[in-house]
Amino acid sequence: MSTSELSEQRKGRPDEIEAVPVRHPGRWVASFIVLVIAASIIRAVITNHRFQWHTVGHYLFDPRILHGVRITIELTVLSMIIGILLGVLLAVMRLSPNPLISGSSWLYIWFFRGTPLLVQLLFWNFISALFPRIDLGIPFGPSFIHANANTLIPGFVAALLGFGLNEGAYMAEIVRAGMLSVGEGQTEAAQSLGMGRLAIMRLIVLPQAMRVIIPPTGNETISMLKNTSLVLVIASVFDLLFEASQIYSAQFNEIPLLIVVSIWYLALTSVLYVGQYFIERRYGRGFSRQQRVTMRARWLGSRGNPPVADTG
Amino acid sequence: MIEPMVKSEGVHKRFGQLEVLKGISLEVQRGEVMCMLGPSGSGKSTFLRCINHLEKINAGRLSVDGELVGYREQGGKLHELPEREIASKRAEIGMVFQHFNLFPHMTAVENVMLAPVRVAKVSRGDARDRAADLLERVGLGDKLDSYPVALSGGQQQRVAIARALAMQPKLMLFDEPTSALDPELVGDVLDAMRLLARDGMTMIVVTHEMGFAREVADKAVFMDDGVVVEAGRPDEVLVSPQHERTKAFLSKVL
């Protein structure tokens, strides 16, 4: 405590400042305009009977829609798992000192980022035209498993390959950026303890890189959720949008069904927001703690409970 | 004759065109504390990093405990050691960095027990007990579960010392351990190092702490521009240096 504070305590605490706040007329005007616009939009949505809100309610939990939601979730989750695993692998390869390994990773990323997702999906859909038979075995040697491409790669698997392999290319760059964000001193400290390259990657670099990796990965997941609607081009996978389009092409009620679809996508996206919040908090350990402590200290401090400084 | 712990003969190190070490020859005996002094850019830290093969030397011979660093000599030829063997040799040498380099996503005790569990394959329970002991010894018995971000610089550096000691090294390297600290936090770190020296640990310390060097070191080395200018007992080198460059440097730091 400084001497001036001590002397003030002796004299008694000066009065709390109670000043007249500055007026912000601009804010009032802006708020009013926003409210008017919002009100007119809400009015239009409610009074326009072409929205057919009762039809929306009728189809929101229709079994076909729910089935579509399930397929959309499955596609998103599985594709992201493939994408993330592939992304980590490609990023580690990209940072390898071996030029052949880092070069092949670069080539992969170049190809899958350089062609449209829709084209890639169609390619996987027509894979049997390219490779009618798929043999698994020793390259250039005997093969053990022979299969018809169409039975080995049904529509759902084709979609997973299309989304997952494409996502891997984007995730690779995100993971690489995360790994580069971890200081060299961390690797050196781990090396000087006798740890090997893979252990350093897994225990030291990746956990810290997660902080940088997670926000863009959340972005990617949300993109993926909505991009799965492209699966429309693979005729045998019935996702949310496809199921809805089946219904409205029979019933001629496009608008309400598209609203149903939008509601479901929004709901699923909101769930992802919550998930991302918790994952970010988990990997923020050791980085955000002090901030949280000082926040708490500030609150307590303002109520006359002095924060305890932690010094060596 | 007993083998010295560290033996350096004509060690050269280049970064591209820049020659940072121009023939370093010196020896550190078992249980000895050697302090290395000199202006920044003189190559002290680089030499330290060569000892645990964080940097590869370009010429000369460098050995720790009688074994070459990073190579094996066979049939008159040097063979590079595989990564696994380099790692297992590094595990026997503790290193403390200027900027601590604690792992920020682990608590103090997790930092200290990491290498024993992952490298030496000690059980978690034993490693934790020993880590707690070590942290107690450097005066941080009450900070086991603190994350580095919640510790002061001096506390972080003492955790880093405990972390290096956890692998029971035969040699400890200190790369300017107090240079990044506020003046009032330096003392605790130096105390921890003093304790270690008293226990007979072989130590090489790159430092600007003249008082510590005079008090604790058995040998002082003054380096400038990639060469050892002067080496000897600390009272010789630091109190009555023979060389003009040493005198000029000491007059600036004291």
Side-chain angles (χ1 to χ4, degrees):
Chain A
M1 208 177 272
S2 67
T3 43
S4 66
E5 273 177 77
L6 277 175
S7 59
E8 260 163 28
Q9 268 197 346
R10 234 172 279 135
K11 279 186 243 154
R13 216 176 123 83
D15 291 337
E16 289 280 332
I17 294 175
E18 280 171 30
V20 181
V22 174
R23 305 278 174 217
H24 298 283
R27 281 187 205 169
W28 284 102
V29 174
S31 310
F32 179 73
I33 294 172
V34 168
L35 279 177
V36 169
I37 294 172
S40 57
I41 291 174
I42 291 169
R43 196 183 74 103
V45 169
I46 293 174
T47 56
N48 185 342
H49 63 92
R50 288 195 187 85
F51 276 99
Q52 302 180 46
W53 287 105
H54 62 281
T55 320
V56 171
H58 181 256
Y59 281 108
L60 195 56
F61 296 102
D62 186 279
R64 284 166 291 179
I65 294 290
L66 291 181
H67 172 262
V69 168
R70 209 189 79 208
I71 295 293
T72 292
I73 293 173
E74 283 174 7
L75 273 177
T76 306
V77 170
L78 294 174
S79 302
M80 279 314 288
I81 289 173
I82 295 173
I84 289 170
L85 292 179
L86 196 60
V88 172
L89 179 71
L90 286 166
V92 173
M93 284 171 68
R94 190 79 206 276
L95 296 173
S96 155
N98 181 335
L100 194 69
I101 290 178
S102 69
S104 52
S105 168
W106 183 89
L107 200 69
Y108 180 99
I109 295 168
W110 171 78
F111 180 80
F112 281 92
R113 286 204 307 182
T115 51
L117 176 56
L118 194 52
V119 174
Q120 289 173 28
L121 273 177
L122 287 167
F123 255 118
W124 286 109
N125 193 31
F126 298 127
I127 193 74
S128 59
L130 204 53
F131 302 102
R133 273 166 53 87
I134 291 175
D135 297 330
L136 286 180
I138 301 164
F140 306 109
S143 58
F144 309 123
I145 300 169
H146 325 271
N148 184 315
N150 270 334
T151 49
L152 197 67
I153 307 181
F156 190 77
V157 177
L160 279 187
L161 286 171
F163 290 124
L165 298 191
N166 180 270
E167 186 57 36
Y170 287 92
M171 282 306 303
E173 291 294 278
I174 291 171
V175 173
R176 188 171 69 103
M179 294 201 305
L180 291 178
S181 76
V182 180
E184 220 175 327
Q186 291 289 309
T187 306
E188 284 182 355
Q191 279 179 327
S192 75
L193 289 170
M195 292 171 70
R197 233 169 65 87
L198 284 179
I200 294 174
M201 203 57 94
R202 194 166 64 83
L203 299 169
I204 306 297
V205 177
L206 279 177
Q208 293 183 59
M210 286 304 268
R211 259 178 73 246
V212 177
I213 292 173
I214 287 163
T217 304
N219 240 349
E220 289 294 307
T221 312
I222 288 169
S223 292
M224 177 64 82
L225 177 71
K226 294 170 299 176
N227 282 343
T228 54
S229 59
L230 291 175
V231 83
L232 212 63
V233 300
I234 297 181
S236 56
V237 186
F238 302 159
D239 77 318
L240 174 56
L241 181 59
F242 185 84
E243 293 281 13
S245 71
Q246 290 295 99
I247 298 173
Y248 70 61
S249 56
Q251 313 278 335
F252 306 108
N253 45 7
E254 294 85 352
I255 297 297
L257 274 149
L258 288 177
I259 292 172
V260 167
V261 166
S262 303
I263 290 173
W264 273 110
Y265 277 121
L266 278 172
L268 294 175
T269 309
S270 310
V271 172
L272 290 177
Y273 271 74
V274 176
Q276 182 175 346
Y277 169 79
F278 283 104
I279 298 174
E280 268 181 35
R281 213 172 59 165
R282 162 77 170 66
Y283 284 100
R285 280 187 320 186
F287 291 91
S288 56
R289 169 168 277 222
Q290 193 170 40
Q291 245 168 350
R292 232 183 285 160
V293 168
T294 51
M295 281 286 263
R296 198 188 304 152
R298 219 182 291 154
W299 279 99
L300 291 176
S302 72
R303 288 173 197 165
N305 214 340
V308 181
D310 191 5
T311 53
Chain B
M1 197 194 95
I2 307 171
E3 192 85 43
M5 183 57 86
V6 178
K7 188 173 180 183
S8 168
E9 298 166 284
V11 166
H12 285 253
K13 171 67 190 173
R14 276 192 319 270
F15 290 113
Q17 292 295 308
L18 185 71
E19 187 146 61
V20 185
L21 299 178
K22 303 169 180 169
I24 303 290
S25 296
L26 44 84
E27 282 183 8
V28 181
Q29 307 300 330
R30 275 156 216 284
E32 214 170 42
V33 177
M34 181 174 88
C35 281
M36 302 184 79
L37 310 132
S40 58
S42 59
K44 321 171 294 268
S45 292
T46 305
F47 180 68
L48 207 64
R49 293 161 58 84
C50 288
I51 294 175
N52 68 355
H53 208 53
L54 284 178
E55 306 287 353
K56 256 184 201 171
I57 63 174
N58 297 107
R61 287 284 190 279
L62 182 57
S63 58
V64 172
D65 206 9
E67 290 178 23
L68 282 183
V69 174
Y71 302 95
R72 189 177 50 230
E73 204 158 17
Q74 219 167 31
K77 260 191 165 174
L78 287 184
H79 298 259
E80 274 187 29
L81 287 182
E83 210 175 317
R84 184 182 296 264
E85 280 178 51
I86 291 175
S88 76
K89 288 199 173 169
R90 280 189 186 130
E92 299 174 345
I93 303 172
M95 183 149 186
V96 175
F97 298 85
Q98 181 178 356
H99 296 289
F100 332 132
N101 296 352
L102 288 184
F103 306 129
H105 57 304
M106 299 178 188
T107 61
V109 74
E110 285 168 350
N111 262 278
V112 178
M113 56 193 278
L114 176 73
V117 170
R118 297 291 173 169
V119 180
K121 309 291 179 199
V122 177
S123 77
R124 287 193 76 84
D126 290 352
R128 200 188 153 87
D129 290 346
R130 189 166 151 66
D133 273 356
L134 282 167
L135 286 169
E136 186 76 48
R137 256 171 61 187
V138 295
L140 295 173
D142 56 338
K143 298 286 184 192
L144 298 192
D145 296 317
S146 299
Y147 282 92
V149 74
L151 299 174
S152 73
Q155 292 170 334
Q156 288 191 50
Q157 192 60 299
R158 283 180 282 150
V159 174
I161 292 173
R163 178 176 70 176
L165 290 175
M167 290 298 282
Q168 295 173 293
K170 53 190 178 189
L171 168 67
M172 284 284 284
L173 309 173
F174 293 86
D175 188 3
E176 304 203 23
T178 56
S179 299
L181 298 179
D182 290 341
E184 81 267 24
L185 306 181
V186 168
D188 291 332
V189 172
L190 292 182
D191 283 344
M193 290 167 64
R194 254 183 219 112
L195 221 64
L196 203 54
R198 205 176 303 151
D199 288 348
M201 176 64 75
T202 312
M203 296 160 62
I204 303 181
V205 186
V206 171
T207 185
H208 296 294
E209 295 292 330
M210 293 301 151
F212 177 82
R214 260 200 305 247
E215 179 200 328
V216 180
D218 302 295
K219 183 188 274 178
V221 172
F222 176 72
M223 275 181 73
D224 191 15
D225 199 22
V227 295
V228 173
V229 176
E230 214 165 323
R233 296 217 319 271
D235 51 336
E236 292 167 358
V237 177
L238 301 177
V239 182
S240 48
Q242 301 303 303
H243 210 285
E244 282 309 316
R245 272 197 281 176
T246 320
K247 283 179 195 165
F249 176 76
L250 290 177
S251 71
K252 273 182 215 152
V253 293
L254 291 180

